[in-house]
Amino acid sequence: MKSWKKEIEINASIEHVWKYFDGSIENMQQIMPQVIEQKPVKVTEEVVGSIYRQKYREGKRTEEYDIETLVYTDEPDEKKLKVGFILAKMFDITALYELNKINDSRTSFTYTVTSRPLKWYLKLLLLFATDKVVVEFLERVKKVAEAETGR
């Protein structure tokens, strides 16, 4: 298994940044443009355990997988969302999005991803994997959130 963890400060309120993770599909697509559809399969009252079927486009290929909510916290100063899914029947992925309020107009965003290969020969691929995608995602969230707030 391989894990990446990165943090960035965003010049926007915690509620503003949270809407990209815990809002409409349109909000989510601003930071995850490859997600083309998300439909509820099972929704729980406490959010944890909810499952959504997501369609994701990578180039000309479209993948479909079920995403399960593993952790969910929605407090005024701290918000967390952890999801898990199987990617292309090859990798067990978890993504943890953590937001912490610095002040009314600044938020700390930490993104942690783990990838566990489901087949032995895929372990070799992970040896060459870098944090480039994680860094690019953090920067995209910062850019989108700050552009909307005019900062």
Side-chain angles (χ1 to χ4, degrees):
M1 183 169 79
K2 195 151 184 178
S3 185
W4 298 268
K5 182 176 184 174
K6 295 287 179 187
E7 184 178 349
I8 196 167
E9 281 190 19
I10 299 174
N11 293 309
S13 72
I14 192 169
E15 292 298 334
H16 181 80
V17 180
W18 183 237
K19 76 175 187 176
Y20 300 111
F21 300 98
D22 193 41
S24 68
I25 182 75
E26 291 79 19
N27 284 342
M28 182 193 298
Q29 286 172 327
Q30 290 184 57
I31 60 168
M32 301 178 202
Q34 306 92 333
V35 175
I36 55 174
E37 187 177 282
Q38 180 164 296
K39 292 183 177 174
V41 173
K42 174 183 143 191
V43 178
T44 65
E45 206 171 296
E46 58 280 350
V47 184
V48 172
S50 293
I51 298 172
Y52 293 87
R53 180 145 309 131
Q54 197 172 80
K55 283 188 183 174
Y56 181 92
R57 182 174 292 132
E58 189 68 50
K60 293 181 179 176
R61 197 175 79 239
T62 300
E63 290 284 335
E64 187 174 277
Y65 42 84
D66 289 348
I67 294 185
E68 181 176 0
T69 304
L70 304 171
V71 173
Y72 183 85
T73 305
D74 187 1
E75 299 295 330
D77 295 344
E78 174 194 31
K79 301 184 185 296
K80 284 184 189 172
L81 176 64
K82 183 177 184 178
V83 296
F85 59 97
I86 305 293
L87 182 62
K89 297 182 182 134
M90 295 193 291
F91 294 97
D92 183 354
I93 309 275
T94 64
L96 173 61
Y97 312 102
E98 297 175 277
L99 302 177
N100 287 288
K101 181 177 180 176
I102 296 170
N103 60 39
D104 288 345
S105 61
R106 288 182 68 74
T107 302
S108 169
F109 172 38
T110 305
Y111 180 43
T112 308
V113 179
T114 62
S115 181
R116 185 174 59 86
L118 298 176
K119 297 177 177 21
W120 67 268
Y121 56 86
L122 295 171
K123 290 180 182 177
L124 295 172
L125 285 177
L126 282 183
L127 292 175
F128 303 103
T130 68
D131 64 1
K132 180 179 179 240
V133 172
V134 174
V135 171
E136 287 174 354
F137 180 69
L138 282 175
E139 290 170 354
R140 183 167 46 249
V141 173
K142 178 178 173 70
K143 182 180 169 188
V144 167
E146 291 179 356
E148 273 199 354
T149 58
R151 294 172 193 229

